[in-house]
Amino acid sequence: MTSPSPADQGGLSRLARGSAIAGGAVVVNGLLSAAVLAVCSALHQTGQIAAYTVVTSVLAFVTILLGGGSAMLYLNGTEHERALVRSQWSIVVVPGLVLGAVGTAVFYAHRGYDPGALAAAGVVALGNGLATLQIADYTRRMRFLANAVLQCGSKAASLVLVLAGVPLTVSLAVAGVAQLVAGELALGKDGSLRRGTLRRPSLRDVGAAYRAGGPLFGYATGDLYTARLGTVALSLAAGPAVLGPFGAVAAAYQAIGNVVQAALQVPMIARTRARLGIGFSHHRASFAIGVALVCAVPMAAAVAALAPFLTGTILSLSHRSAAAWLTLFMLALPFMAVTRALMFEWIGDGRYGRATRAVALLAAVTTVCVAVGVPRFGPFGAAGATAAAEALTLALLLALHRRGFDLNRG
């Protein structure tokens, strides 16, 4: 094993600082995104917003479907596995995104969407996909501040361009390409988009990448399922007048949860580096749980207290129960934070199957809670099901651990 690099020295204080930077970057990036959309709305760029929404939504699904668990594998895997992922992206994912962008643009252009906006949004989505690997490179090297500057700087540049009158999709595309170029220059020869990185990609490598990332694909799928199930179930039981405000509240919960998960990636990658012999980490799982609680509990309490102001003034939701829905979601946040802390630690240790089985347990519990809560209580049942499922899953994981049940063996 190699000796610890300067980037790995500093112990828990350095990890805590990295978590603060990673979580803070998500907050700032989210605020900048909201500002960009608000300016575009004020400038009546509704067509731009619509094109951006449909293209990025469709291609996000394409990325998950074609990429499998490659993004997480590229972050946590060995150098050989990372080379397999690069082959997979070269042969399958990037061409799939290009074809998906063209197909989506053609489909929606015939439905009145601006073709130029659709094309620019396709560039944005492709850039987002490539940025996934670039962000993983920065995270793996524990360069959290540089990564934060790149992401937030790109979004700030988009805001400046929009204020100058440049259309939304063009602004995001220009800033995104600039971010990729700047990021690769800063990474040097180790960047994911250069290197002899594309080492004669082959279909055999692609198959090996899918096999290696299989458990993480299951994890990503289960995580997406649990995040969307309540909203989808509610859409079958309630009309747009309820689903619209609830969707906005659910999106706010997901955004807040992303802050916590970004912070938790720091101790995860520290364990990965220690496992692979490229870094040094002595922290226990209790440190990640501490990070989760320090991030989640104050945010949950603050958002719950400000729920009427946030839903009524900031989000402009007219539904009288929106604040109560947001408060219920905040009950879920600390439990979600701790379960993800455990899952991320297992991924960092290379126990991908264990994390996938844990998220499968969460998916099963969520299914039961949603099936019971939504038909009877509507949006309250959907929000309450999230809180109940996260709490019950954490209790079950702890109980299984105390009984000596090995999630690695199922």
Side-chain angles (χ1 to χ4, degrees):
M1 179 177 291
T2 60
S3 60
S5 68
D8 293 297
Q9 296 172 0
L12 298 184
S13 62
R14 184 178 182 279
L15 292 182
R17 186 167 60 253
S19 292
I21 293 171
V26 173
V27 173
V28 174
N29 202 42
L31 293 175
L32 288 170
S33 297
V36 169
L37 293 176
V39 170
C40 289
S41 297
L43 295 176
H44 306 292
Q45 292 190 20
T46 52
Q48 291 282 319
I49 296 174
Y52 169 75
T53 301
V54 296
V55 172
T56 53
S57 297
V58 171
L59 295 192
F61 175 77
V62 171
T63 302
I64 291 176
L65 182 64
L66 297 182
S70 60
M72 193 70 87
L73 181 64
Y74 189 74
L75 177 60
N76 291 279
T78 64
E79 286 303 325
H80 174 66
E81 289 170 334
R82 283 160 58 82
L84 296 178
V85 170
R86 286 193 289 269
S87 292
Q88 178 189 22
W89 276 67
S90 300
I91 294 179
V92 178
V93 180
V94 172
L97 285 173
V98 172
L99 291 175
V102 172
T104 304
V106 170
F107 180 83
Y108 283 101
H110 284 91
R111 282 154 180 78
Y113 287 73
D114 178 9
L118 292 168
V123 174
V124 174
L126 180 58
N128 289 343
L130 294 175
T132 300
L133 298 186
Q134 188 180 84
I135 290 168
D137 282 328
Y138 277 93
T139 302
R140 189 174 171 94
R141 289 162 178 74
M142 303 192 77
R143 297 177 62 179
F144 305 111
L145 182 58
N147 187 33
V149 170
L150 277 172
Q151 293 187 66
C152 296
S154 172
K155 198 55 62 70
S158 301
L159 178 58
V160 171
L161 291 172
V162 168
L163 287 170
V166 179
L168 169 66
T169 53
V170 176
S171 300
L172 292 172
V174 170
V177 170
Q179 174 188 336
L180 284 174
V181 172
E184 288 303 306
L185 290 175
L187 282 171
K189 63 182 179 65
D190 294 326
S192 60
L193 303 183
R194 34 162 109 187
R195 231 188 213 188
T197 107
L198 305 175
R199 54 159 218 183
R200 290 189 183 179
S202 68
L203 291 177
R204 178 178 296 179
D205 286 349
V206 171
Y210 279 114
R211 288 192 296 274
L216 290 173
F217 176 63
Y219 176 86
T221 303
D223 192 47
L224 180 65
Y225 174 85
T226 58
R228 304 299 182 193
L229 181 61
T231 303
V232 172
L234 185 62
S235 70
L236 303 176
V242 171
L243 189 63
F246 182 85
V249 170
Y253 167 67
Q254 293 298 325
I256 295 169
N258 287 340
V259 175
V260 176
Q261 296 201 41
L264 290 174
Q265 281 200 351
V266 177
M268 177 186 75
I269 200 60
R271 295 181 84 90
T272 296
R273 290 170 63 85
R275 169 170 56 89
L276 298 176
I278 59 176
F280 179 76
S281 176
H282 275 317
H283 78 274
R284 298 179 179 179
S286 57
F287 173 77
I289 293 173
V291 169
L293 293 175
V294 167
C295 290
V297 173
M299 280 198 297
V303 172
L306 296 172
F309 170 74
L310 294 174
T311 56
T313 302
I314 302 298
L315 297 177
S316 300
L317 302 179
S318 57
H319 201 290
R320 56 188 176 85
S321 298
W325 303 338
L326 184 57
T327 301
L328 276 174
F329 273 121
M330 288 304 101
L331 288 177
L333 190 65
F335 298 106
M336 182 279 290
V338 175
T339 56
R340 297 315 183 277
L342 294 174
M343 293 175 191
F344 278 20
E345 291 289 277
W346 295 333
I347 291 173
D349 289 339
R351 294 183 285 181
Y352 303 147
R354 184 172 192 174
T356 300
R357 289 184 176 89
V359 87
L361 175 63
L362 173 61
V365 175
T366 300
T367 301
V368 173
C369 292
V370 167
V372 172
V374 171
R376 187 168 183 178
F377 301 107
F380 284 100
T386 300
E390 294 288 358
L392 286 171
T393 300
L394 178 58
L396 287 171
L397 288 176
L398 294 176
L400 290 172
H401 175 71
R402 297 185 73 172
R403 289 177 177 271
F405 184 81
D406 187 356
L407 283 171
N408 285 322
R409 295 197 303 266

